[in-house]
Amino acid sequence: MTCVIQLTGGKDVGKTALAEKIITKLKEEGYTVAAIKISHHDPEPPTKDTHRLRRAGADKVLFYNGEIYVLYTRSIDCRDVDAEYVVVEGLRDKKVGYKIHIGPDPPPDADVVIEGPEGEVEVKCVEEDICKVLAVVATYRGRKVAD
């Protein structure tokens, strides 16, 4: 089981800033942390080589710049998200963990509602099966991402 923290809110309310803050705190406490970002944006411009390789039909594209790896894939195994905490940014209409909503118009299932990322926010561990969390993530359908 993995502790899952979910962040929701409208555009530009500070979800990523809060995610950074939570991740930094958890890392300082010695936890392993993974982050899942739900977005309707394509992860890279169509002119980039990684995009072109995906469009050509590669099942997976591994990008490496000498410091960090990025794996583009259309599927993921639960074992690939091996962390004590997972911070999920997005999925307003679903509940996958301890749900912190930032800004107005909170969903009814929010555990905490805050105005912005400033100040302290209590983070609670809600243990979830990461495979079930990833199954919910997989139901998200944003705009069609170019192949």
Side-chain angles (χ1 to χ4, degrees):
M1 298 296 260
T2 301
C3 296
V4 179
I5 301 164
Q6 179 181 4
L7 307 176
T8 64
K11 183 174 173 51
D12 297 328
V13 295
K15 296 182 300 291
T16 302
L18 182 58
E20 290 173 311
K21 195 168 150 180
I22 291 170
I23 291 167
T24 298
K25 184 174 190 260
L26 291 170
K27 291 302 295 177
E28 287 171 354
E29 294 174 5
Y31 293 106
T32 57
V33 183
I36 299 173
K37 168 76 175 179
I38 311 299
S39 177
H40 63 277
H41 297 290
D42 196 332
E44 80 238 297
T47 57
K48 294 298 182 184
D49 294 345
T50 50
H51 185 94
R52 293 172 56 199
L53 296 169
R54 284 191 306 124
R55 191 175 60 229
D59 295 305
K60 295 181 181 184
V61 176
L62 182 62
F63 171 84
Y64 181 64
N65 68 357
E67 181 181 348
I68 189 168
Y69 290 94
V70 177
L71 178 63
Y72 294 94
T73 180
R74 294 202 179 268
S75 64
I76 191 162
D77 188 295
C78 304
R79 294 170 296 205
D80 294 333
V81 185
D82 181 25
E84 294 165 293
Y85 276 86
V86 172
V87 177
V88 178
E89 186 180 326
L91 295 177
R92 174 193 166 81
D93 297 330
K94 310 283 186 190
K95 185 168 175 78
V96 294
Y98 184 72
K99 192 172 194 175
I100 302 169
H101 182 82
I102 305 172
D105 193 28
D109 60 356
D111 294 298
V112 174
V113 177
I114 60 175
E115 292 297 314
E118 310 80 24
E120 290 299 313
V121 63
E122 183 181 10
V123 173
K124 293 186 179 177
C125 173
V126 172
E127 289 190 342
E128 297 290 347
D129 179 337
I130 194 61
C131 294
K132 290 180 181 176
V133 172
L134 292 174
V136 173
V137 167
T139 67
Y140 174 77
R141 297 291 178 257
R143 71 171 177 79
K144 175 71 173 131
V145 176
D147 293 327

